[in-house]
Amino acid sequence: PETGTTTDLIIASSTNPINPALTTTDDISTTTLPIEEATTSLATSTPIIDSQPVVRRIYSPILGGTYHSGVIPIIVVFNKPVIVSGKPKLIISTGVNSTTAVDLKTASGNQLYFLYHIASGDSTPLLDYVSSSAIDLNGASIRDISGKEATVTLPDTSSSGSLSYTSKIVIEDPQGGM
């Protein structure tokens, strides 16, 4: 999506642990996914046009809380705009011994949008990807406009910038709990 556009999603239902009165439903909701703009490197304050694309952070724009069903949008943010050819996957941890490959939904500017569909049996105390190498290019390429190949290393799991650190999402199997 471009800035200001909306995408229809079935948002996962949630109970907010801080304010139980705030919940989402399984109804179709129109949600605007945020687009971040990148103009300079934070470390050097030099234009990022000369550097290769790297991942800054990964997060979900939905409210942190406990989810039993629905769709969890996951966004990977690069330090500069990227062009994606093909369908990379994001490998997330969805239970004790389970992993799920989440297909790329779309890319816009410096962000990749993945949609994780909660499946029966999925259960994790804090949703995260499996490792810092959890982006499987799956034959795809991610490059900047000048053709520089992106480094797709994610922040270490549970560290600043990781999905579990930024989003605090719990997945509970409605059939069997955690």
Side-chain angles (χ1 to χ4, degrees):
E2 298 174 6
T3 302
T5 62
T6 59
T7 302
D8 290 337
L9 300 174
I10 298 174
I11 301 296
S13 59
S14 166
T15 303
N16 183 338
I18 297 169
N19 184 352
L22 295 175
T23 60
T24 58
T25 66
D26 288 329
D27 297 333
I28 294 179
S29 302
T30 301
T31 305
T32 301
L33 297 175
I35 305 287
E36 292 186 3
E37 298 297 327
T39 56
T40 60
S41 167
L42 296 175
T44 62
S45 296
T46 58
I48 59 172
I49 295 168
D50 296 333
S51 65
Q52 92 184 94
V54 295
V55 175
R56 285 189 2 201
R57 68 185 180 115
I58 182 170
Y59 73 100
S60 180
I62 66 170
L63 183 65
T66 300
Y67 295 84
H68 302 278
S69 62
V71 176
I72 307 289
I74 300 171
I75 301 173
V76 176
V77 181
F78 284 85
N79 65 325
K80 63 195 279 185
V82 293
I83 299 168
V84 179
S85 64
K87 289 284 188 181
K89 297 178 180 292
L90 176 65
I91 311 301
I92 60 172
S93 179
T94 56
V96 176
N97 292 316
S98 299
T99 58
T100 300
V102 182
D103 291 323
L104 177 71
K105 177 67 176 168
T106 190
S108 179
N110 65 330
Q111 299 184 15
L112 308 183
Y113 299 90
F114 295 88
L115 295 178
Y116 159 50
H117 297 266
I118 300 171
S120 179
D122 288 357
S123 188
T124 184
L126 206 50
L127 185 63
D128 213 344
Y129 39 87
V130 295
S131 71
S132 61
S133 58
I135 292 182
D136 175 5
L137 288 176
N138 191 37
S141 69
I142 303 173
R143 302 173 193 267
D144 68 9
I145 196 159
S146 67
K148 290 185 185 86
E149 194 74 31
T151 299
V152 294
T153 303
L154 301 172
D156 289 334
T157 57
S158 302
S159 71
S160 177
S162 71
L163 180 61
S164 63
Y165 185 87
T166 61
S167 299
K168 310 296 185 210
I169 296 171
V170 176
I171 305 298
E172 284 186 3
D173 179 4
Q175 307 300 316
M178 294 241 325

